[in-house]
Amino acid sequence: METCSSSRLILVEGLPSTGKSTTSGILLAQLERNGLKAKWIHEVARPHPVLFFYEAGLSEAEYAHFVRLHPHVKDYLERIRIKRKTTVGIDLLEVEWNGLEEIGQKEYEELSKYNVWNFSLERYIELALEKWQHFADIQARRPDEIILLDSSIFQFQIYSFLLANATFTQIRHFLKAVFQRIEALQPTLLYLYRDNVEDTIGFLEKVRGSAFLHSIWLRDRHRPYYQTRPAGAEGYKDFLRSWAMKLFEWTPFPKKAIDITDGDWKGYTDEMLTFFNLDDVESPEATFPNGTYRNDKLQQQLLVRDNILLTPHGAHKKLLPKSEHEFYISDIPVTLGWTGDSIIIGGEPICERWTTWGTVFDKI
């Protein structure tokens, strides 16, 4: 069996509802338990190093012009901007949550016009490639760190192309440019799939509901892709059928495909650990922080019952011991640190405000 142990960048891919987040959580825990320095960057991490969620993208000239028009915003934006070679990124969620009083609602709305999600495909490609290069340059200076990226190649990155009715040749050309930028990180690809794509679509519909599939179509129905597709959820299902396995087969670096049709997650985990030359290390002993914890500023609370966390939005998530007083959350890269009277959020934040690093929830 082919194995890979030198990768500094692990890409976890697959259609929605194939277990990418669960798999990434397992890999992160096992990498760390094997004594390796690792970081998992979730598909909706904020700010994301290679994708665009709630992010304004400006050229240097556009950024300078915006600051000239609104000089009072300069100090704040200089603190939060991400400067790349020729572009500037601004986390719009950070501004919305913490900066409106400082910059103003009108200025925020003007800044939001630069939301990358709304860019032409040509401009998206330009910003995306610079972002990948910026990420690769940073990681080149961290040779002891392994990065886990889930859904960063075959999902959101490619949606922009498919929605614009781009050809497979255009998509391959873009990915070739991405792969050239990350080549020095010795990337590997882990691809999760069901043998029958319709099974994955059915599972997604069962777990998230038809309304979710319809809402995706509703959001994007004005885009070129949908002009010749069925309306509603059926149009989004066509979207899911079109691309992923072809891209996996074309990917030029070490890769592993796992068919999850049978639901044997113990067996799939063994396959992954073998592929990455990792030992299967047991979780440490820990006492779960049972109770209800509240953050008054956010007006939100967390509930812990043994190994289950109830998030402020009502999601049930498993807790896995990281140490005696710290816990992984199974399918997001967020951790809970427990002091006895409080829970402190750690790990990597996602686009939910309660996951912000350092947020404290006190026991009630």
Side-chain angles (χ1 to χ4, degrees):
M1 179 182 292
E2 181 184 12
T3 63
C4 181
S5 58
S6 58
S7 178
R8 291 159 52 203
L9 176 61
I10 300 172
L11 303 169
V12 182
E13 295 291 339
L15 290 177
S17 292
T18 50
K20 298 182 299 297
S21 294
T22 298
T23 297
S24 297
I26 292 169
L27 270 176
L28 175 68
Q30 290 295 345
L31 285 165
E32 292 188 334
R33 290 173 191 166
N34 276 260
L36 300 169
K37 182 178 180 181
K39 182 165 76 171
W40 169 23
I41 300 172
H42 192 272
E43 60 182 316
V44 291
R46 55 165 295 265
H48 202 287
V50 297
L51 301 180
F52 297 97
F53 295 101
Y54 310 104
E55 181 174 325
L58 298 85
S59 68
E60 290 179 327
E62 288 169 333
Y63 177 76
H65 179 68
F66 187 84
V67 170
R68 281 197 303 271
L69 286 179
H70 311 288
H72 70 282
V73 309
K74 182 175 181 179
D75 287 346
Y76 176 74
L77 293 184
E78 287 290 307
R79 294 198 302 270
I80 70 165
R81 69 171 184 161
I82 300 172
K83 177 71 171 66
R84 304 182 185 108
K85 187 175 181 180
T86 65
T87 61
V88 175
I90 303 291
D91 180 353
L92 292 171
L93 273 185
E94 175 63 29
V95 179
E96 179 184 340
W97 291 347
N98 301 310
L100 287 182
E101 289 187 6
E102 196 161 349
I103 76 165
Q105 181 67 36
K106 180 182 176 182
E107 289 78 2
Y108 168 72
E109 291 173 1
E110 289 189 30
L111 189 62
S112 296
K113 294 176 182 177
Y114 293 95
N115 190 322
V116 176
W117 181 254
N118 300 318
F119 283 4
S120 68
L121 184 59
E122 292 73 18
R123 188 167 187 195
Y124 175 85
I125 290 171
E126 180 183 347
L127 265 73
L129 291 179
E130 181 162 278
K131 203 172 192 186
W132 276 101
Q133 186 64 63
H134 185 72
F135 164 75
D137 291 343
I138 290 173
Q139 291 310 126
R141 300 192 293 270
R142 300 172 180 174
D144 62 335
E145 183 176 63
I146 299 171
I147 295 291
L148 279 163
L149 281 176
D150 74 280
S151 303
S152 293
I153 296 285
F154 293 177
Q155 200 158 318
F156 288 103
Q157 196 90 85
I158 298 306
Y159 279 3
S160 297
F161 287 80
L162 293 176
L163 287 172
N165 259 346
T167 66
F168 189 69
T169 299
Q170 288 174 295
I171 294 172
R172 287 201 310 176
H173 181 75
F174 170 75
L175 288 184
K176 182 178 180 180
V178 171
F179 294 159
Q180 287 173 343
R181 284 159 173 77
I182 62 176
E183 184 178 14
L185 302 178
Q186 298 177 279
T188 51
L189 172 63
L190 187 64
Y191 179 68
L192 307 171
Y193 72 101
R194 291 182 179 86
D195 189 49
N196 186 340
V197 173
E198 298 306 314
D199 290 342
T200 291
I201 293 173
F203 186 83
L204 175 65
E205 191 166 22
K206 179 181 178 181
V207 171
R208 302 192 188 181
S210 297
F212 168 79
L213 303 184
H214 184 83
S215 70
I216 298 297
W217 170 81
L218 197 64
R219 182 192 68 190
D220 299 328
R221 67 188 186 281
H222 64 286
R223 304 295 292 273
Y225 175 87
Y226 284 110
Q227 304 316 302
T228 57
R229 298 308 196 286
E234 285 305 313
Y236 181 60
K237 290 177 183 179
D238 274 358
F239 192 103
L240 295 174
R241 295 180 181 110
S242 59
W243 44 274
M245 183 55 82
K246 282 172 65 176
L247 292 176
F248 171 80
E249 292 169 351
W250 176 78
T251 299
F253 45 76
K255 55 196 174 185
K256 171 75 174 174
I258 297 180
D259 180 353
I260 65 165
T261 302
D262 294 335
D264 177 18
W265 283 98
K266 175 63 171 67
Y268 308 148
T269 298
D270 291 343
E271 285 188 60
M272 290 186 292
L273 297 183
T274 299
F275 180 66
F276 291 108
N277 278 324
L278 297 172
D279 294 327
D280 188 355
V281 182
E282 294 288 330
S283 299
E285 294 291 329
T287 300
F288 290 99
N290 289 334
T292 302
Y293 299 80
R294 182 171 178 80
N295 181 288
D296 288 333
K297 181 180 179 181
L298 298 181
Q299 295 291 294
Q300 292 181 335
Q301 65 184 36
L302 304 174
L303 175 65
V304 179
R305 287 289 179 267
D306 296 327
N307 69 331
I308 299 297
L309 168 72
L310 182 65
T311 75
H313 304 298
H316 290 73
K317 297 185 178 294
K318 289 184 180 180
L319 295 179
L320 305 170
K322 180 176 181 178
S323 64
E324 185 179 358
H325 297 292
E326 191 174 11
F327 301 84
Y328 298 104
I329 302 177
S330 61
D331 60 354
I332 56 176
V334 180
T335 60
L336 302 185
W338 181 41
T339 67
D341 296 322
S342 301
I343 281 175
I344 303 172
I345 302 298
E348 301 296 319
I350 61 172
C351 294
E352 295 183 23
R353 195 167 185 178
W354 70 270
T355 69
T356 301
W357 196 93
T359 300
V360 177
F361 290 80
D362 295 316
K363 195 168 188 177
I364 59 175

